Amino acid sequence: MLDIFICEDNKQQLNSLIKIINNLILFENYDMRIKVATHDPYEILKVVEESNYPCIYFIDIELGSSINGIALSEKIRKYDSRGFIIFITTHDNMRPLTFQYKVEALDYIIKNNIKSIEQRISECLVNVLEKYLKATHEVVKIFHIDKEDRTIHIEYNQMFYIETSATAHKVILHANDRQIEFYGNLDKIIKVLDKRFCRCHKSFIVNKEKIKEVDKKNRVIRLTNDEVCLVSRRMFKEIS
Amino acid sequence: MVLLKAIISFFIISICAINLSQIKFKAVKYLFWILSISIIITITSFLSELIAGIICMVLIVIMLYYKKKKIYTSIFYAILAMLLSVLSDNIVSSIITDGFQNGVEIKERFENDIVVYLIISIFILLLAFSISKLLGYLINRKRLIENVTANKKYGLILSSFLVLTFIFIYASVFVEKVSNPLLTIGIYVLYFLVIIIIVYFLITVTKKENEIINRKKELEQLSQYTKNLELLYIDMRKFRHDYINVLAALNGYIEDDNIEGLTEYFHNNIIPFSNKVIANNSELGLLSLVKIPEVKGIISLKIIYAQEKNIKVNIEISEEIDEINIETLDLCRILGILLDNAIESATNTENAALSIAFINNPFTISIVIANSFFGEIPSINRMFTEGFSTKGEGRGLGLSTLREIVNSYTQTTLETIIENNEFRQVVRIRKKPFIVQI
């Protein structure tokens, strides 16, 4: 059962949100329920403190309170680091990058007309459910880092290799469509990862499923995306 | 004999000096200078050769100053001329001693025989003359020395360096005669110490100069920013004016109870007008939250540039940004590279868009720059290789430079993401340097 929290200061809009979400749950037979729907962000915080995580949050940006939606989400994140936050905002307050990088919001919905809001809420709930099932049933394994104000989720089968950066204590993760630098060391990371990963060199961890060929002469591994990893002499046998 | 020697060596040096500085003397005046100075030198050279040499230098400086009226330039030319004459003297005498079988013998006679002395002196003169003519041409063609010495600091550094070299050469000649190894070493050490000091000064002076140049740039960017704010203000006033007109028109329709006209007016005038209001976003206003003037400057400049290229710019800054924990110059370089690349690749795309966000989290400040792109994007890894560019050859230094700057700090990390037809880069800067937890 996923709990849903709604925070919206306009009473009319709050009521229509409740109606839309309840209808969706009923029609699609989702395993969810609205736990709190209020105009007061502090009420949300009170309940969030003792809830089953993760939860779903629909939050308006302008709350007419001493804190706004983003600040509320920051506080929520302290309890529920993997919750699904969806902002509801007017065009003027739309700041997609801030939503994503400040509080890791899942999505945002622009308030213009009721029809499109309904459509978007439905999309968001589908998305939430998909992500939630993936995470709980471990169909797909996910590399997860949550440190200070940085979280990284990435599927194992998207990862190509991890290498140490030119500066100490930093490593770079090379994945399908992204390259992410973060603080860490390969010794610790290899312990977290599963068997498909191999420490092929003192400064490389490679995903064995992504190897295209092993170049013995130059002692490198060529990956399916044409990138190249170094291999130490010792690890040659294990790879080939 | 002594008089002759003095006259000849002074003659050579002065010819060099005149060639180098490319000043013109009348023959009579020149003769007067030569004669009067030579006599002074001859008298002093009876006392000490060392003093005679120094006086010779001083007199040439005076001679040049008399014409040029610039002290550093005169010192520079005089000493360069002296060095040249010593150089050609050495070249000629070494050719004689090494080139001829009885070279040493000739050299001995050179000291005493007037005829041989004169012949050799002519050779020296010819050599010195041609070198100085060439050098003078090179130096004066671009007004090099005048430009350098126009700045008092550089003039001082340059001439003190040359004076030092002059003293060094004189001292080493003098020391050779005394032949005290300790003294020789002492002089060398002193020479190098002083050179190190001079180089140090040179570096600090250039550093200051660079700072001034940067400040100037900053100021230009800021003034551009103010100009744009003013434009924004004018836009606002226009809007107010339009707004009042619209209200007046509405009032007119209502008073006439003309609902049909009102409907038509609403659809034809007010809806397009309100669309215009939404589109006309005052993105620049948000920059007031950035409290670092250099950053404000560079961002406003790039935004304006992007808007000129019809790129829709979206800026997100929700909190004040007053401190970012890396050198401002590096920060500006990072922003410059990221924004230039983003603008370049967003141009000519459908719905061209550029987003800039500053996000203040408890431990880090993140700078996110995202842009739309068109066509295939090459592998991210290749993008960071030096010399790689989608824009053709010789332009691919941006991202590899960015990588270098990010690597030079422990508190910065870089992230590159391609998602939903958007190319996005995130630079995260920790508020405190990274410390390893054990």
Side-chain angles (χ1 to χ4, degrees), chain B residues 145-309:
Chain B
I145 299 308
E146 274 79 1
N147 281 344
V148 174
T149 48
N151 183 328
K152 264 201 176 150
K153 280 181 206 150
Y154 286 126
L156 184 67
I157 287 169
L158 196 67
S159 43
S160 59
F161 172 67
L162 281 164
V163 167
L164 188 73
T165 314
F166 168 72
I167 293 169
F168 173 70
I169 287 174
Y170 247 85
S172 57
V173 168
F174 174 71
V175 167
E176 240 171 65
K177 279 181 189 157
V178 183
S179 73
N180 182 345
L182 216 67
L183 206 61
T184 319
I185 292 169
I187 283 174
Y188 273 93
V189 168
L190 201 72
Y191 182 62
F192 282 109
L193 274 180
V194 176
I195 279 191
I196 286 167
I197 292 168
I198 287 175
V199 168
Y200 173 76
F201 271 114
L202 205 66
I203 289 169
T204 44
V205 166
T206 14
K207 214 173 164 185
K208 276 216 179 107
E209 210 99 313
N210 275 338
E211 256 165 38
I212 291 168
I213 290 169
N214 281 334
R215 276 283 131 75
K216 236 176 158 178
K217 235 179 173 174
E218 215 173 276
L219 214 70
E220 261 166 40
Q221 288 174 343
L222 273 182
S223 71
Q224 189 73 26
Y225 172 70
T226 342
K227 228 184 257 166
N228 285 297
L229 278 185
E230 277 164 12
L231 283 179
L232 220 69
Y233 177 66
I234 291 168
D235 263 7
M236 282 267 279
R237 282 181 45 183
K238 253 193 237 158
F239 170 77
R240 259 175 58 128
H241 177 81
D242 288 351
Y243 181 71
I244 290 162
N245 278 345
V246 165
L247 285 184
L250 284 178
N251 192 33
Y253 284 113
I254 290 167
E255 273 184 4
D256 294 350
D257 264 341
N258 184 354
I259 294 296
E260 231 169 80
L262 182 66
T263 320
E264 201 188 304
Y265 183 77
F266 182 78
H267 283 292
N268 292 346
N269 295 56
I270 295 186
I271 290 183
F273 179 67
S274 69
N275 284 343
K276 217 169 90 190
V277 173
I278 290 175
N280 190 1
N281 43 23
S282 46
E283 300 292 11
L284 278 179
L286 275 179
L287 279 185
S288 63
L289 288 169
V290 177
K291 300 294 178 201
I292 308 166
E294 293 93 327
V295 173
K296 196 191 288 225
I298 193 161
I299 293 179
S300 63
L301 204 75
K302 300 291 177 192
I303 290 173
I304 295 151
Y305 179 61
Q307 282 172 339
E308 277 168 10
K309 294 194 150 199

Side-chain angles (χ1 to χ4, degrees), chain A residues 130-142:
Chain A
E130 196 184 314
K131 288 224 159 77
Y132 177 66
L133 290 178
K134 244 187 200 172
T136 46
H137 293 277
E138 295 213 2
V139 185
V140 190
K141 283 200 174 174
I142 291 177

Side-chain angles (χ1 to χ4, degrees), chain A residues 98 102 148-150 183, chain B residues 316 360 363 410 415 430:
Chain A
T98 310
K102 182 115 186 149
E148 296 186 345
D149 39 44
R150 184 83 193 273
Y183 294 103
Chain B
E316 300 176 20
N360 194 352
F363 292 94
T410 52
E415 185 174 318
R430 285 179 59 92

Side-chain angles (χ1 to χ4, degrees), chain A residues 70 74 91-92 94-104 147-152 161 163 165-172 174-185 188 225-228, chain B residues 278 314-319 355-364 366 368-370 379-381 384 403 406-419 422 424 426 428 430 434 436-437:
Chain A
I70 292 178
E74 273 188 282
H91 194 94
D92 283 347
M94 188 190 71
R95 293 199 281 272
L97 290 174
T98 310
F99 300 159
Q100 185 179 349
Y101 284 93
K102 182 115 186 149
V103 288
E104 311 258 337
K147 204 155 122 194
E148 296 186 345
D149 39 44
R150 184 83 193 273
T151 52
I152 300 167
Y161 67 98
E163 65 171 330
S165 168
T167 333
H169 315 304
K170 287 195 265 184
V171 296
I172 303 175
H174 296 251
N176 207 14
D177 56 359
R178 60 195 62 201
Q179 192 169 314
I180 303 172
E181 189 174 26
F182 59 95
Y183 294 103
N185 73 62
K188 280 184 188 158
N225 65 348
D226 280 326
E227 289 187 37
V228 167
Chain B
I278 290 175
N314 160 45
I315 299 183
E316 300 176 20
I317 304 169
S318 7
E319 286 157 274
S355 300
I356 305 165
F358 281 78
I359 292 144
N360 194 352
N361 281 331
F363 292 94
T364 50
S366 305
V368 187
I369 291 177
S379 97
I380 300 174
N381 216 33
F384 283 96
R403 183 87 260 173
V406 170
N407 283 348
S408 68
Y409 290 95
T410 52
Q411 66 266 39
T412 50
T413 54
L414 179 65
E415 185 174 318
T416 310
I417 297 167
I418 300 169
E419 206 172 45
E422 192 183 62
R424 192 161 66 222
V426 188
R428 286 187 169 80
R430 285 179 59 92
F434 183 76
V436 202
Q437 293 119 3

